[in-house]
Amino acid sequence: MKHYLSVNDIDSVNEWVEDALILKKKPLAYKKLGKQKTIGLLFFNNSLRTRLSTQKAAMNLGMQFMSLNFGKDGWALEFEDGTIMDKGSAEHIKEAAQVVSQYCDILGIRAFASLKNKEEDESEMIINSFRKYASIPVLNMESSLSHPLQALADIITIEEHQKKTNPKIVLSWAPHPRPLPHAVANSFVKAMQLKHANLIITHPEGYELDPEITNGSQIEYDQEKALKNADFVYVKNWSNYKDYGKVINQDRNWMMTQKKLGDAKFMHCLPVRRNVVVEDEVLDGNQSLVIAQANNRTYAAQIVLKKMLESLK
């Protein structure tokens, strides 16, 4: 049984990207592979691109899909073992995961970090509990720590648009009015490490990501210096890791502008707050790849689902 929980589950990044680009040219080539197979999509948080791109990917492979929004449609789940369920939770993960496994062949889970308790978030309680008790492959559609579907789409996008073998790629922090999770940034860093990419991470001091994840990656606190001669600039906000979940800096000088961007291609996972994270001129300009990234979410999901389906044979 093949799960896809992090970019570390990619056994050959170059092969996966190549296969995804082939699928992009002929998205219905494996329409029979998913015949009479069903994917269940469980959302503990909001979604636009992830929901629709994963559904589209499943349909391209001939699969059926079922979607459920927890907190609105499903019962509140209990995850702790041995608990006395006399409060808010009506159903235990042990039963829920086993029941869903009877209805579906693959299970997708989306559950954000709470940003309140670092230890709890790092335990990846929701997705790991489903992996533990489900009897079918589990797909990570974004968890507390990682967003491997987005990261794979990002690699595909860079591969399509790079003009030289080893482009300079910059991951730049940007201001945001709300504390945001680390999942996208974490997975992008890991993906670039898999590619042995020329990556520089830039952010204000105090906004370091988990040092276990960024170990070996270059960090530059001077944004202007980091952006010099960049080929791709990926902009993303994340909240504080050490003072967990806090917003300690909203310096608007870190917003991405056309002047800062120079000749580089601009990337962002979306949704994005205009004129806070990035100015209109960049988003609306011909150097922006955000729509291309969103399009590649389908083919990232499709290559993952194809491999998961093949593992079921």
Side-chain angles (χ1 to χ4, degrees):
M1 181 167 62
K2 186 176 179 67
H3 302 295
Y4 184 65
L5 302 178
S6 82
V7 294
N8 292 332
D9 291 321
I10 300 174
D11 53 16
S12 172
V13 65
N14 291 331
E15 279 186 24
W16 283 44
V17 170
E18 184 179 341
D19 290 348
L21 290 173
I22 291 171
L23 279 176
K24 187 173 182 177
K25 292 177 182 177
K26 295 183 177 180
L28 302 181
Y30 295 89
K31 186 80 173 179
K32 294 181 180 179
L33 183 61
K35 187 177 181 181
Q36 297 181 337
K37 299 293 185 183
T38 301
I39 184 170
L41 306 174
L42 306 185
F43 292 90
F44 291 80
N45 298 97
N46 295 337
S47 176
L48 173 65
R49 277 148 296 277
T50 298
R51 183 189 298 267
L52 296 181
S53 63
T54 307
Q55 290 177 357
K56 182 65 180 292
M59 290 189 293
N60 284 348
L61 292 167
M63 299 184 76
Q64 303 291 319
F65 64 84
M66 298 188 292
S67 185
L68 184 70
N69 299 314
F70 271 92
K72 179 182 178 183
D73 302 324
W75 298 109
L77 293 181
E78 176 59 55
F79 292 90
E80 297 293 335
D81 288 334
T83 187
I84 298 173
M85 291 173 57
D86 59 354
K87 294 184 173 62
S89 300
E91 183 161 16
H92 201 281
I93 182 62
K94 288 184 179 180
E95 289 77 52
Q98 292 179 75
V99 167
V100 173
S101 297
Q102 296 177 106
Y103 302 154
C104 307
D105 300 283
I106 295 173
L107 181 60
I109 307 291
R110 182 174 174 92
F112 293 170
S114 69
L115 294 179
K116 296 176 181 177
N117 184 314
K118 183 193 289 188
E119 185 177 311
E120 185 176 292
D121 284 345
E122 291 186 335
S123 75
E124 295 277 29
M125 179 179 64
I126 294 177
I127 199 161
N128 281 332
S129 294
F130 274 101
R131 181 182 64 169
K132 180 178 180 180
Y133 295 113
S135 57
I136 57 177
V138 175
L139 169 66
N140 183 349
M141 300 192 297
E142 187 172 359
S143 63
S144 297
L145 299 184
S146 64
H147 198 346
L149 287 177
Q150 179 67 55
L152 183 53
D154 296 336
I155 300 175
I156 294 167
T157 305
I158 291 172
E159 181 71 23
E160 284 184 306
H161 292 88
Q162 69 182 36
K163 295 181 179 179
K164 55 187 179 185
T165 304
N166 191 28
K168 179 179 177 180
I169 301 166
V170 178
L171 172 63
S172 178
W173 180 92
H176 196 283
R178 293 177 52 241
L180 295 185
H182 305 90
V184 170
N186 285 345
S187 288
F188 185 73
V189 171
K190 286 184 176 181
M192 293 302 100
Q193 291 169 345
L194 277 180
K195 284 283 288 179
H196 303 290
N198 178 15
L199 174 68
I200 297 178
I201 306 167
T202 185
H203 53 72
E205 291 193 50
Y207 267 92
E208 292 77 13
L209 293 162
D210 181 349
E212 290 190 12
I213 291 173
T214 58
N215 183 34
S217 295
Q218 183 179 348
I219 298 173
E220 173 57 63
Y221 298 114
D222 184 329
Q223 188 189 37
E224 184 177 341
K225 184 177 178 181
L227 292 171
K228 187 177 181 180
N229 299 321
D231 296 294
F232 295 89
V233 176
Y234 198 121
V235 174
K236 185 72 181 77
N237 173 269
W238 57 85
S239 57
N240 195 275
Y241 178 76
K242 189 175 181 181
D243 193 4
Y244 191 65
K246 299 295 190 295
V247 176
I248 60 171
N249 189 328
Q250 289 186 335
D251 186 351
R252 292 182 66 88
N253 291 320
W254 278 79
M255 179 180 74
M256 187 53 55
T257 65
Q258 186 60 52
K259 182 179 179 181
K260 289 182 186 179
L261 186 65
D263 296 326
K265 298 292 187 182
F266 174 80
M267 301 179 70
H268 190 283
C269 60
L270 300 181
V272 64
R273 295 195 180 223
R274 285 174 173 259
N275 302 307
V276 176
V277 172
V278 54
E279 66 178 7
D280 285 338
E281 186 179 354
V282 172
L283 274 176
D284 298 331
N286 58 16
Q287 293 166 240
S288 176
L289 297 180
V290 298
I291 303 303
Q293 283 175 267
N295 186 40
N296 282 333
R297 289 297 307 278
T298 295
Y299 308 105
Q302 192 168 339
I303 191 60
V304 171
L305 290 178
K306 177 178 177 288
K307 291 181 178 296
M308 296 176 88
L309 286 168
E310 289 169 343
S311 77
L312 296 176
K313 292 183 177 180

